[in-house]
Structure formats: C-alpha cells, structure tokens
Amino acid sequence: MSSALPRRPTMRDVALAAGTSFKTVSRVVNGEPAVSGELLARIQLAIDELGYRPDDRARRLRQGGTQTGVIGFALVDVANPFFSALLRGIEEVAVKHGYLVLAGSTDANPARENQLIDAFVARRVDGFIVVSSGTENSTLRAELLRGTPVVFLDLEPELRSSDTVRSDHLGGARLATSHLISHGHRDIAFFGDDDRVFSATLRAEGYRGALRDAGVTPRPDRVVHGRHSAPEWRAIIRDHLSTGKPPTAIVTAQNFITIGAAHALRDLGVQHTVAQVGFDDIDLADVVEPGITVIAQDPPRLGRVAAERLFARIAGTAGKPRRRILTVPLIERGSGEIPPPRSRRSP
Amino acid sequence: MSSALPRRPTMRDVALAAGTSFKTVSRVVNGEPAVSGELLARIQLAIDELGYRPDDRARRLRQGGTQTGVIGFALVDVANPFFSALLRGIEEVAVKHGYLVLAGSTDANPARENQLIDAFVARRVDGFIVVSSGTENSTLRAELLRGTPVVFLDLEPELRSSDTVRSDHLGGARLATSHLISHGHRDIAFFGDDDRVFSATLRAEGYRGALRDAGVTPRPDRVVHGRHSAPEWRAIIRDHLSTGKPPTAIVTAQNFITIGAAHALRDLGVQHTVAQVGFDDIDLADVVEPGITVIAQDPPRLGRVAAERLFARIAGTAGKPRRRILTVPLIERGSGEIPPPRSRRSP
DNA sequence: CTGAAAGCGCTTACAG
DNA sequence: CTGAAAGCGCTTACAG
C-alpha cells in the first residue's frame, strides 16, 4: 500500500538531463542573464519535462537564514468569525508582501499557545502575530527579548514594550453601558469572557466606569465572567434573568455571549422588555426582532493594521514599539434603545 | 532605524560556549542517550543561556526531504464561516499529527489559486487540501500527476482519480426543494453561487431534479447564479421577488445568499408569506422570525475527514483514491414550512 | 558565458 | 562516550 512518493527532481537532475552543470541551472532558475540562448532553451526544456520546482527552504537557508517568507498567527479559535476575519485581514497584507501565513488556534490554552509558538520558531517564521496576554508563555517571552518581530493583536501583554493593535475595549464597553444608561437603565448586568483575558477585564472596567459616572455603584453580582460556548451562555443568562429581581438591561461583551443572550431573552419572552447591547457585530443582528444594538469592531482592519506593523518590523523600519488602539462605533438597532419598565426608570 | 536582528545561535555557537563539538550538541538536542552527565549539563546550560532553538528546516533538509511538518489549505475565503469551520476541523487533525497548517484564500480566482499552490510547493508542504475545481490550475495538475498528497474538499476536480470529501450537494438541494414542494409550492426560485463552481451546479441540478420528480418543468428564469456579497444578493433577490409574478418559495444555496435573502424578504415584508430553505446553517437562524429552515452541512466534520484522508495519504496507507460524500440533514425552523397563498396552491 | 569550490544548519553514517 | 567527514538542495563568492 505504502507507495513511496518519487523523489522530487533537484537541480542536479535537471543539469544531468540538460548536459550541463547544476550551477548553470541555478542561473536559469533565478533568471540571471548570463546564459547562452541554446543552453538556456535546453535547460528550460529539462525543467519542464522533469517538473522541476526549486526548494525554497534550501535556497533561503543558503541565503543566510532569517527570511522564510512565512509569518505565524496564533489566535484563539479560527471557527469564531471574529478571529477568522482578523486572519483574513492579515492574509491580505501578507499576500502583498509575497508571504504565506501559518494559522493556529490556541483555545486560550497557555500550553497549546506555547506549543504553537515553539512550532513557529522551529520553522523560523519571519515574525508572528499573536492573540495572547503573553504572561505565561516562556517561548514568547524569550522571542520578545531576542527581538523577533511580534505584534500583539486584540489583547496586550503585561510587558508593555511591544507592538500592539487592538480595539478600544474599555471605551467600547463604556459606550455600550452609557448608551443603556441614557435610555434610563440603572440596573445593568455584564456578561464577559474569562476575566484572565485582558480584553474581558478592560471591558468590565469600562462597564463599571460608565455606571460610576452616572452615580450608580457597580454590583459584583451583576458581573459574570467565563469561557463558554453560545449554548452555555444561553443557559447562564437565562438563569441570571429569571432569578430574584432581574436587571433591566444587559451588556454582552463578546459575539458568542451575544448569541447566547439573544436565545435566552427569547426563551423568557423578554426580548422586547430587557435591553441588550453586544460587543461584535453578527450576521442577522439586524434581521432579528428587535435588531441587536452592538459595538462593532472592525476585525479585518485590525488584522491589516497588525500585519502592516509586523512587516514594518520585519523590514526594520518600525521604530519604537507602538500601541495602536482603534475606536469602536455603536450601531443602534433597537435592542439597546428599549427603556426600562416605568417602575424602575431612573429620574 | 533598521536594526538588524541578531543572528540566531546555531549548534556551533552552543558547542563553542560549552567547549565541545557541535555533533555532541546535536546529540543532546535530539535526546540521544550517549552523552556523559557532566558534558550534558554544560551543554544544556549553554543552550538555555544562548536561547538556542534548532532549525527545523535544516534538520528536515538533511533528513532527506519530503517531510516539512506543514500542510497547506487553499480555500475560497477564510472570512466566510463555512470555510473557517473547515479550517478548524483540519487544524484539529493536524495538531494530533504535530503538523502546522498554511491557510490561504483564493476568492475562487484561478490565478490566485495557482499562485498559492505554487507557494505551497515551493515551501515543500507535505500535502495540501484544496477547495478547487482543479480544471484551470496547471501547478495543481502537475502535483496530482506527480502523486503529491492532495485532497479535494467541498468541490471536486474534473479528473476523478483524486481523494475527495464533500457534502451531498445534489441530495441536499433536492431535499430543500422537495421539502418546499411537499408544503404545496410549485413555483420555486433558486439562487446559487457562480455556475462555474461545481457545487453550485450540483445544487442547481438537485433543485431541478426535485421539480421534475414532482412533475414541474424547471424554468430557467427562476435560476440565478453568481458570485456576490450578502448585500448584493439582497438587492438581486429583492428585485427578483418584486418583478412580474414572483415565486412562492426560494432556495438559497449558500450562506451569504441566505443572509441576503433574509434581508430581501423583510425589505418587502414577505418573510411570512414567501417560503425559504437555505444551504448552510447560520448564527441566529433560529432566532429570526420565522426561523430559517436550512440544509445543515457539518463543516468541522468535513475538515476532519479531509485531513484524516490527507494524513493517510502522506503516511502512504491511503490506498486508492476515494470519494467521500457526507449526507446533509434538513432542519425545520419555520421559513421552509410556509404554505403558498391559496390561489397558487398545488393540487 | 560556464563551472568547481565552499558553506547555510543540521543529521547520517563511520571512526576512534 | 565523542568527533571528523560527507551531504541534504541550494546560492555566494572566485576562477577560468
């Protein structure tokens, strides 16, 4: 069964077929002009007949090392549309530079992240973009110290002296919350990603800040953090909304949470009475009733900006590490403009 | 500005620091037992201090070639959740095998596809998975002839002797259409991807087959093919539904088309009167009103099956090329069960 | 215009 | 247990 793949032809094979030296073949392959017409034709023919394709790895190895024409991207979950849109943005810039991108999901698991970045380094990518808090990863830390081109995307490392591109998590959550407050709400719950994740912490901070600005004391029991699937969030939020005196509005700080909440509100039949603002835009968010008001990140743009930064770093023209924070707009669609019931309206 | 990256330490550097030969360092790096305790400790220390990381490319080059520990995946658009879910499935299997995956979007552009596969080959991936009809791509054809491990995913090449994994496009579309027929519809429109795309052709074929089975003659003016964004489809479908005597039901043969149609139906206020069945499941498809009845492919599974096939091929245990076709279930949610108006009901 | 030598970073045989 | 030689597929200097 195990039929070994025939060895790929090398320059030597081509040279043999064309009756010349492999160095001359190299000249033809690289388009160097100094080859006579007759020989050139003979070599070209041999290349075509043997199906010769130069080995990029060997070429680059000899050329002196660093450049492999590949960048890495360690993200949380490529099946999450937010991350796949980041990847698409990165890819667009990579193509322009003639680069390929290695992508891998970490599921926010530090061990898997370490392993992935190890693999990137072993394969000598020219640089990588990573969605990571960077705290627990020894390989990453070592590469940063060494000066390997690295750009942090979406999240931000504790050690600040690195290139970072992300949305204004705090400002976005503050905007979401103050939007609800401006529509009369004072009892607002917050559902966010695992609080070990930097962006989730910042978003919770923004939520609290907006409450405080409005003279409302944040209640710890109104803040729920965790890493769950949309169906899990559906159950969690349904429970929260059907226990004791429920909040009159909710902030859902991530796309899967927003989806779970959309289900939960309908499970309870309160989609027209409990207000919701979500983080991240979602397909059909403007088709459901009411439409879901969201803070809309622009993930393809985030990806492009991060990639441009990385390629500048690779080219050595990036200068000092920079932190780029993109503002996020709020899109009104209905769910965020629902007022609280009369009895619970603020003055 | 352009501060050159310090050269990575090599085995020679480590050997020099530890006062030994680089061959002995190689032994330590590869965990070969035959190194004495004292030397081993000294080398280990030097490795840590210099931050030495073996160069996988050089290692594999010397080992004899083929294996790079990387596979490629050429897909249409990673920002489309269908394809990113395929990627996630592939990735899961790749991780198990210790592989990394190079992913790239082609936008169904043959030139870009060619370029991408060229790049895969130049970097000597051990094999690749490709969403391609494979007709126009010379590099792909050459690699197939050569016996490079390749698996076709979602689409299928004209030359049949290749491994293929895809959903039952024809059966799915037939199911969608006959479902609508069983609810009384006889005038059903079909909106599908560019008809140069194999799956779109098959789905249209399934639609026609179901009509014929019911004794209905398919009308060419009820079939619209094209490669468009969701907003573009929205306009196209809105036009179709507001011209002359509109169909009483529609089949939307791809996720972006389904989203566009959901908007179009609501633009015209006919979401409760015109029936719809879509291909591909979508977030919130069960939250909109009515819920959208869909033919649900299982993209992570498609990805996993394709990847397992590829790794069997790489291992040389795959045997003859095989065509794997996964059945697709229909999920009733409301939109597909709307009856036609009395006046247009079938006997 | 063409080629023989040396070497990129590593491993595979072969000696001591 | 340790090392000197040869070579993976290619390019970079150096000769003719």
Side-chain angles (χ1 to χ4, degrees):
Chain A
M1 239 11 40
S2 174
S3 64
L5 211 54
R7 196 176 57 82
R8 271 184 195 279
T10 71
M11 281 192 170
R12 285 200 161 74
D13 299 321
V14 175
L16 201 72
T20 180
S21 79
F22 78 99
K23 171 60 220 183
T24 305
V25 176
S26 166
R27 289 203 173 85
V28 173
V29 168
N30 291 292
E32 289 170 35
V35 178
S36 71
E38 203 267 325
L39 226 196
L40 189 136
R42 224 162 64 221
I43 293 174
Q44 203 56 264
L45 193 74
I47 288 175
D48 291 345
E49 278 190 346
L50 295 176
Y52 170 74
R53 331 228 56 213
D55 186 332
D56 212 61
R57 299 170 305 160
R59 184 198 302 237
R60 296 193 193 254
L61 178 62
R62 181 61 187 91
Q63 275 172 337
T66 327
Q67 306 294 67
T68 52
V70 177
I71 59 172
F73 179 33
L75 47 89
V76 174
D77 175 16
V78 77
N80 179 327
F82 172 71
F83 293 106
S84 61
L86 291 180
L87 174 54
R88 178 74 212 215
I90 291 171
E91 205 190 282
E92 275 169 26
V93 177
V95 168
K96 273 191 221 152
H97 290 260
Y99 269 66
L100 251 33
V101 15
L102 283 167
S105 302
T106 65
D107 293 316
N109 172 348
R112 171 68 191 135
E113 180 185 310
N114 223 319
Q115 189 185 337
L116 192 59
I117 293 179
D118 270 341
F120 288 164
V121 173
R123 284 168 184 81
R124 294 294 191 268
V125 297
D126 294 349
F128 49 89
I129 296 173
V130 60
V131 180
S132 167
S133 56
T135 54
E136 314 183 51
N137 191 315
S138 57
T139 304
L140 184 51
R141 198 182 289 269
E143 289 301 311
L144 287 173
L145 289 172
R146 185 188 162 269
T148 302
V150 177
V151 174
F152 287 85
L153 180 53
D154 186 42
L155 303 185
E156 198 166 308
E158 285 184 356
L159 20 125
R160 278 295 168 79
S161 58
S162 299
D163 286 306
T164 307
V165 177
R166 63 170 175 88
S167 294
D168 183 1
H169 301 302
L170 193 142
R174 182 184 284 268
L175 179 57
T177 310
S178 62
H179 183 78
L180 291 166
I181 291 170
S182 78
H183 283 272
H185 296 274
R186 300 181 67 80
D187 186 359
I188 304 169
F190 174 95
F191 301 93
D193 211 335
D194 192 319
D195 63 357
R196 287 170 301 186
V197 174
F198 176 76
S199 59
T201 315
L202 273 188
R203 290 177 191 179
E205 209 40 68
Y207 154 84
R208 285 192 208 92
L211 287 178
R212 285 200 200 92
D213 285 354
V216 179
T217 306
R219 287 167 46 183
D221 62 316
R222 284 292 189 233
V223 174
V224 181
H225 282 285
R227 165 155 293 273
H228 305 292
S229 66
E232 288 164 353
W233 278 112
R234 178 183 192 160
I236 291 167
I237 293 169
R238 197 171 45 207
D239 284 358
H240 192 99
L241 293 180
S242 45
T243 307
K245 192 179 175 187
T248 64
I250 63 177
V251 173
T252 52
Q254 195 245 51
N255 53 6
F256 287 167
I257 307 177
T258 302
I259 292 168
H263 282 103
L265 293 173
R266 280 152 188 86
D267 289 343
L268 301 171
V270 297
Q271 70 270 32
H272 294 291
T273 52
V274 174
Q276 175 185 9
V277 179
F279 226 97
D280 294 326
D281 209 355
I282 297 172
D283 285 334
L284 302 184
D286 52 341
V287 170
V288 298
E289 291 163 22
I292 304 175
T293 296
V294 297
I295 302 293
Q297 297 192 76
D298 186 347
R301 174 141 181 264
L302 283 164
R304 284 193 302 270
V305 171
E308 266 149 20
R309 192 75 196 138
L310 184 69
F311 283 107
R313 186 61 67 199
I314 288 172
T317 60
K320 283 183 189 163
R322 214 176 290 162
R323 200 152 58 113
R324 184 77 180 278
I325 297 179
L326 275 55
T327 56
V328 281
L330 182 143
I331 303 177
E332 292 194 14
R333 294 217 180 97
S335 76
E337 294 73 45
I338 298 171
R342 282 186 177 281
S343 59
R344 301 187 64 190
R345 209 158 289 178
S346 63
Chain B
M1 226 36 15
S2 172
S3 65
L5 213 53
R7 197 175 56 83
R8 275 184 192 278
T10 70
M11 281 193 169
R12 283 199 161 76
D13 299 321
V14 175
L16 200 72
T20 180
S21 79
F22 77 99
K23 171 62 222 184
T24 306
V25 176
S26 167
R27 288 204 174 85
V28 173
V29 169
N30 290 293
E32 289 170 35
V35 179
S36 72
E38 202 266 326
L39 224 197
L40 188 135
R42 225 162 62 222
I43 291 174
Q44 202 56 263
L45 193 74
I47 287 175
D48 291 345
E49 279 190 346
L50 295 176
Y52 170 73
R53 331 229 55 215
D55 186 333
D56 212 62
R57 298 171 305 160
R59 183 196 304 236
R60 297 196 193 253
L61 179 62
R62 181 60 186 91
Q63 275 172 338
T66 327
Q67 307 294 67
T68 52
V70 176
I71 59 171
F73 178 34
L75 47 88
V76 174
D77 175 16
V78 78
N80 180 327
F82 172 71
F83 293 106
S84 62
L86 291 180
L87 174 54
R88 178 75 212 216
I90 291 170
E91 206 191 281
E92 276 170 25
V93 177
V95 168
K96 274 191 220 150
H97 290 260
Y99 269 66
L100 251 33
V101 15
L102 282 168
S105 302
T106 65
D107 293 316
N109 172 347
R112 171 68 191 135
E113 181 184 308
N114 222 319
Q115 187 185 340
L116 191 60
I117 293 179
D118 270 340
F120 287 164
V121 173
R123 284 169 185 78
R124 294 293 191 267
V125 298
D126 294 348
F128 49 90
I129 296 173
V130 60
V131 180
S132 167
S133 56
T135 54
E136 315 182 52
N137 190 315
S138 57
T139 304
L140 184 51
R141 196 183 290 269
E143 289 302 310
L144 286 173
L145 289 172
R146 185 187 161 269
T148 302
V150 177
V151 174
F152 287 85
L153 181 53
D154 185 44
L155 303 186
E156 198 166 308
E158 285 184 356
L159 23 124
R160 279 294 168 80
S161 58
S162 299
D163 286 307
T164 307
V165 177
R166 62 171 175 88
S167 294
D168 183 1
H169 300 303
L170 193 143
R174 182 184 284 269
L175 179 58
T177 309
S178 62
H179 184 77
L180 290 166
I181 292 169
S182 77
H183 283 274
H185 296 274
R186 299 182 67 79
D187 186 0
I188 304 169
F190 174 95
F191 301 93
D193 210 335
D194 191 318
D195 64 357
R196 285 169 302 186
V197 174
F198 176 77
S199 60
T201 315
L202 273 188
R203 290 177 191 176
E205 208 40 67
Y207 153 84
R208 284 191 208 95
L211 286 180
R212 284 200 201 92
D213 285 354
V216 178
T217 305
R219 286 169 46 185
D221 63 316
R222 284 293 189 232
V223 174
V224 181
H225 282 285
R227 166 156 293 273
H228 304 292
S229 66
E232 288 164 352
W233 278 112
R234 178 182 192 161
I236 291 167
I237 294 169
R238 196 171 46 208
D239 284 357
H240 192 100
L241 293 180
S242 45
T243 307
K245 191 178 176 187
T248 65
I250 63 177
V251 173
T252 51
Q254 195 246 50
N255 53 7
F256 287 167
I257 307 176
T258 302
I259 292 169
H263 281 103
L265 293 173
R266 280 154 189 84
D267 290 343
L268 301 171
V270 298
Q271 70 270 31
H272 293 290
T273 51
V274 174
Q276 176 187 9
V277 179
F279 226 97
D280 294 326
D281 209 354
I282 297 172
D283 285 335
L284 302 184
D286 52 341
V287 169
V288 297
E289 291 162 22
I292 303 175
T293 295
V294 296
I295 302 294
Q297 297 192 75
D298 186 347
R301 173 140 182 266
L302 283 164
R304 286 194 301 270
V305 171
E308 267 149 18
R309 192 75 195 139
L310 184 69
F311 282 107
R313 186 61 65 198
I314 289 172
T317 60
K320 283 184 188 163
R322 214 177 289 163
R323 201 152 59 114
R324 184 78 179 279
I325 297 178
L326 275 55
T327 57
V328 281
L330 181 142
I331 304 178
E332 293 193 13
R333 294 219 180 94
S335 76
E337 295 73 46
I338 297 172
R342 281 186 179 283
S343 58
R344 301 187 63 188
R345 208 159 288 177
S346 62

